[in-house]
Amino acid sequence: MGETIRRVHGYDHDAYTYIPVLIVGAGASGIAMACRLKDELGFDQFRIFDRQAGIGGTWWINRYPGVACDVPAVFYSFSFAQNPNWTSFHPPGRDIVQYYHDVCRQYKITDKFELNTDIEQCTWLEDEKLWEVRLRRMVAGMGDLSAKDRMKVVQEKGEAAVYTETEIVKAKVVVSCVGGLVEPKGWPDEIPGLEKFQGKVFHSARWDENVDFTDKNVVVVGTGCSSAQVVPRLPKAPYNAKSVVQLMRTPPWVVPAFEPPGGDEWWDKNGPTLMRNIPGLRPTLRFLVFLGGEQSFMQIFPNTPYAEKHRKKLEEQMLKRMKRIVPAKYHEMLTPDYGIGCKRRIFDKAWYQSLNNEKIELTTQPLNRVNENSVVLGPGVTYPTDAKSDLPEREFPADIIVLANGFDTKKWLHPLRVAGKGGKDLVETMDERGGPQAYQGTAMDGFPNFFMIFGPNTVTGHSSVVMASENMVNYSLNYIKLLLNGDAAAVDVKREAEERYTAMIQRALKNTVFMSGGCNSWYFTNDGWNSTGYPYSQVDFWRRCLTPHWNDWNIEYTKKGKAHIRRTRAFRLLIVALAVVGAYRAHQYGVGLKEVKRFIRQLLQRAVMRAVQTSRLLKEQALAVFKK
């Protein structure tokens, strides 16, 4: 491929750096795109930009106590870079970040990252068929702050305290790998008194490692997946908090984490050795976890008689488990009034058990106000909703407030701004059509050569986001290859195809537990638009990404591309012609059906013999490993 990173116009006032492929985001999706560009297309003229100070995306920025993956690591990893050295079946965040660094080293892309760099604006230049991208370099570490906190620094100290320089680059292809669980929700505006609070306040996704928790009174706001990992660890060493009050609005459905073979302790001790030395174990285990996830989809998420039956059965089992583990005083408030799967489940290892700790108190009294060294809760409760609670206001001492109240998941691409054909803003275009949306979760009409990895409506709720990202990466490469080969100048999906796909997704979602389960979740907006969930299985999404529907796309072919199409068509016609002539000659010279069958049989026999030889070789290698 002739595309290269280069400086255009030298030192002229309109000089710029040309980058053939510009990737936004250094998380799993950005890494996957970079690796596949090298592996699939043999292309390395790209750059990956991220505002954060390190590689890893969500896993770089989330460093709270107990942060770990709730999907088995063997499935929460790239299919093209399996890791035999996971220290745990559900590895901690530190191990996942190390894995990403190892993959970058393996594929020799570590030098392709430009960190502490904010992509502020992407503008499509129709005449040049290029994206003009505005980069803002930041003071080291500023990118690890939330957008709101960076704005505060700018307001208090000026832009120079955050930004060092601005640069304009141009790119043929822009790939947005902006994650969803990065920009944290801020302090609830309706709760007064924060300015008076004398203690520390921070979000779980911006954990302050300098704060000493020893003998401190901690208030944790939220009962999602992050808080379920944080809360059990705070009363224990090395944190040794004096007390933890956890505020819950409504209860989550809590299910046990996927159990590894032999249990956690046995697997942590023996798993890495087995994974390294038993041929085929890694792909087999990965496939079994995948199948288990697909089975859970069929049993939980669709509105079918089969799923409704299994949902009811599973709900009964989970309530029995809850009542067996947690104190009786929490039974009513931990009984959800909505269907399991309606919002994200918590895959629990320690939270339920931690509620037996006398240092931890769970409450559904609402946060009323904040004082200098305390919080005031109540009166009443937020759950159960039908409870006639006369519980009065209560004041709890507070030295530290941890916000585990989630992320701004409905602001797609935030704070990145994208202007396509005619200057149309991408987010505004989505909103005009009802809400965040994209064809295959990957493309929008009017935004040529722009691809989103893990865009709207690609969360399945039962499978691995890494697999979903890989599917979108592989799908996008079909079109990126045309652009990099010089066969096409621009590609974008047709509007009718995008609208048809979005209508299908929103219609199908109404027939799933996401929309009919009776809950309020971060999956959808107040007006009922679900911008997050995918209503079908991961197998279905893989199928859709496997083969592109070329008729759904506008492809502006170059002269080279048109010539390539003509050559391809001519070659196909030649093959057909040769086949017809060959058949005629075979008939003419008396080559009958028996001879053809004999030839095919000989080919099959040779293939079987090679398969048997390969099987024997693998068996010998396995025996050699066990003898060692």
Side-chain angles (χ1 to χ4, degrees):
M1 295 181 181
E3 295 285 352
T4 60
I5 296 175
R6 60 185 182 272
R7 189 69 179 168
V8 180
H9 296 161
Y11 54 75
D12 292 349
H13 72 280
D14 59 348
Y16 64 88
T17 299
Y18 172 71
I19 303 174
V21 180
L22 189 151
I23 301 170
V24 187
S29 298
I31 295 169
M33 174 57 76
C35 292
R36 296 301 291 158
L37 280 169
K38 287 198 72 174
D39 202 33
E40 183 72 16
L41 303 186
F43 186 78
D44 67 353
Q45 296 298 290
F46 55 81
R47 287 292 182 268
I48 310 163
F49 294 91
D50 200 299
R51 73 175 73 95
Q52 294 175 180
I55 298 170
T58 295
W59 294 101
W60 167 264
I61 203 65
N62 284 272
R63 305 178 198 172
Y64 57 80
V67 59
C69 187
D70 56 14
V71 175
V74 71
F75 193 30
Y76 198 87
S77 48
F78 301 124
S79 63
F80 54 82
Q82 286 293 290
N83 180 19
N85 299 313
W86 291 114
T87 59
S88 172
F89 200 66
H90 297 93
R94 181 182 295 274
D95 286 12
I96 297 173
V97 170
Q98 183 60 55
Y99 165 69
Y100 288 152
H101 280 78
D102 291 342
V103 172
C104 292
R105 185 177 67 251
Q106 177 186 343
Y107 279 81
K108 298 180 180 178
I109 61 172
T110 305
D111 61 327
K112 307 298 182 184
F113 291 87
E114 295 194 24
L115 305 173
N116 295 302
T117 304
D118 194 17
I119 305 292
E120 189 178 55
Q121 173 82 37
C122 299
T123 304
W124 174 250
L125 306 176
E126 180 65 27
D127 292 342
E128 299 180 51
K129 306 300 180 189
L130 295 175
W131 284 97
E132 182 180 84
V133 182
R134 178 184 172 91
L135 310 176
R136 301 197 76 184
R137 311 288 183 180
M138 290 188 286
V139 174
M142 280 293 158
D144 284 353
L145 300 179
S146 67
K148 302 180 189 73
D149 289 338
R150 285 199 302 276
M151 186 61 66
K152 288 180 183 177
V153 175
V154 169
Q155 291 171 351
E156 294 172 2
K157 301 180 180 180
E159 287 209 353
V162 176
Y163 301 103
T164 59
E165 63 176 340
T166 299
E167 181 183 355
I168 300 297
V169 302
K170 293 184 180 181
K172 176 164 283 190
V173 178
V174 172
V175 184
S176 170
C177 298
V178 178
L181 304 182
V182 175
E183 195 61 31
K185 285 184 179 178
W187 179 261
D189 293 332
E190 68 275 13
I191 308 301
L194 180 63
E195 68 281 355
K196 298 184 298 184
F197 186 60
Q198 299 297 307
K200 293 286 187 177
V201 181
F202 51 87
H203 197 278
S204 60
R206 297 296 186 277
W207 194 264
D208 191 337
E209 297 175 353
N210 296 316
V211 172
D212 182 9
F213 283 81
T214 304
D215 291 328
K216 297 294 194 326
N217 297 298
V218 185
V219 175
V220 177
V221 181
T223 47
C225 297
S226 298
S227 64
Q229 294 178 337
V230 169
V231 167
R233 285 155 180 83
L234 293 182
K236 300 178 180 179
Y239 301 99
N240 301 312
K242 182 179 180 180
S243 70
V244 179
V245 176
Q246 186 176 15
L247 309 187
M248 177 174 73
R249 284 187 302 176
T250 57
W253 278 105
V254 180
V255 300
F258 196 103
E259 186 80 7
D264 285 315
E265 186 176 342
W266 185 89
W267 183 262
D268 290 353
K269 181 180 178 181
N270 300 288
T273 301
L274 297 174
M275 297 286 268
R276 283 193 298 267
N277 295 308
I278 298 181
L281 178 60
R282 263 178 287 159
T284 300
L285 186 57
R286 179 183 173 89
F287 185 65
L288 290 175
V289 173
F290 164 73
L291 284 182
E294 294 301 283
Q295 182 184 32
S296 74
F297 171 83
M298 300 303 298
Q299 293 179 343
I300 295 177
F301 294 98
N303 281 341
T304 61
Y306 174 79
E308 289 174 5
K309 173 185 174 182
H310 279 275
R311 273 201 302 270
K312 184 177 180 181
K313 182 179 178 181
L314 182 59
E315 288 168 5
E316 291 173 353
Q317 292 173 348
M318 293 306 100
L319 290 178
K320 286 181 180 178
R321 176 179 179 269
M322 180 268 290
K323 293 175 180 178
R324 186 174 67 249
I325 299 174
V326 307
K329 64 180 179 179
Y330 295 135
H331 288 182
E332 186 178 17
M333 73 168 69
L334 283 174
T335 301
D337 61 355
Y338 58 89
I340 192 168
C342 182
K343 56 184 176 181
R344 204 181 194 296
R345 296 164 290 167
I346 290 178
F347 292 86
D348 182 41
K349 281 183 177 287
W351 183 51
Y352 266 179
Q353 189 63 43
S354 75
L355 296 178
N356 291 281
N357 190 327
E358 60 182 15
K359 292 184 177 182
I360 297 174
E361 178 169 348
L362 178 67
T363 178
T364 60
Q365 284 198 278
L367 180 60
N368 184 308
R369 63 185 181 276
V370 179
N371 296 326
E372 290 184 359
N373 299 294
S374 65
V375 297
V376 178
L377 308 182
V381 296
T382 60
Y383 192 88
T385 54
D386 58 352
K388 296 180 180 179
S389 174
D390 57 356
L391 199 62
E393 282 188 354
R394 291 193 296 167
E395 186 172 3
F396 290 88
D399 303 302
I400 302 167
I401 299 177
V402 176
L403 297 176
N405 57 343
F407 301 83
D408 286 336
T409 55
K410 301 181 182 75
K411 295 182 179 180
W412 288 95
L413 302 177
H414 181 75
L416 174 66
R417 295 193 298 273
V418 181
K421 288 183 177 179
K424 291 268 300 184
D425 181 83
L426 178 55
V427 174
E428 289 177 1
T429 300
M430 291 178 176
D431 289 342
E432 288 169 4
R433 299 186 193 177
Q437 59 191 275
Y439 178 86
Q440 294 278 110
T442 304
M444 277 292 289
D445 56 282
F447 296 84
N449 305 2
F450 184 87
F451 302 90
M452 291 173 280
I453 307 302
F454 211 67
N457 295 113
T458 52
V459 174
T460 57
H462 70 279
S463 189
S464 169
V465 298
V466 176
M467 181 177 181
S469 289
E470 276 196 58
N471 287 332
M472 282 173 271
V473 166
N474 293 333
Y475 181 79
S476 301
L477 287 179
N478 289 293
Y479 305 98
I480 293 174
K481 183 178 181 179
L482 290 177
L483 297 165
L484 298 182
N485 280 341
D487 290 331
V491 298
D492 74 322
V493 68
K494 295 176 181 177
R495 176 166 180 168
E496 57 268 27
E498 193 284 323
E499 292 181 333
R500 183 174 62 248
Y501 179 86
T502 296
M504 179 269 293
I505 289 293
Q506 294 298 320
R507 185 169 56 248
L509 280 166
K510 288 181 170 57
N511 200 32
T512 65
V513 73
F514 292 132
M515 303 298 290
S516 63
C519 72
N520 290 316
S521 77
W522 54 268
Y523 289 161
F524 56 89
T525 58
N526 294 333
D527 59 4
W529 185 272
N530 188 322
S531 63
T532 307
Y534 184 73
Y536 305 112
S537 69
Q538 188 69 265
V539 168
D540 181 82
F541 191 66
W542 167 80
R543 175 188 63 81
R544 290 179 187 276
C545 292
L546 188 63
T547 306
H549 291 177
W550 296 100
N551 290 335
D552 286 349
W553 288 75
N554 298 308
I555 302 177
E556 188 177 330
Y557 286 103
T558 60
K559 290 182 179 180
K560 176 185 175 184
K562 291 175 181 177
H564 179 74
I565 291 172
R566 288 193 294 269
R567 288 195 301 271
T568 301
R569 288 174 178 171
F571 180 74
R572 288 173 180 170
L573 287 173
L574 178 61
I575 292 296
V576 171
L578 289 174
V580 171
V581 171
Y584 174 77
R585 289 289 180 87
H587 176 74
Q588 187 178 21
Y589 288 103
V591 178
L593 187 60
K594 287 184 178 179
E595 287 76 8
V596 174
K597 286 183 176 180
R598 186 183 304 117
F599 177 70
I600 294 173
R601 187 163 54 248
Q602 289 173 350
L603 287 178
L604 289 173
Q605 287 173 347
R606 292 174 186 171
V608 169
M609 289 177 64
R610 289 178 181 174
V612 170
Q613 290 171 352
T614 302
S615 176
R616 286 174 181 169
L617 181 60
L618 287 173
K619 185 177 179 180
E620 290 172 1
Q621 291 176 343
L623 289 172
V625 168
F626 281 114
K627 286 178 181 178
K628 290 180 180 178

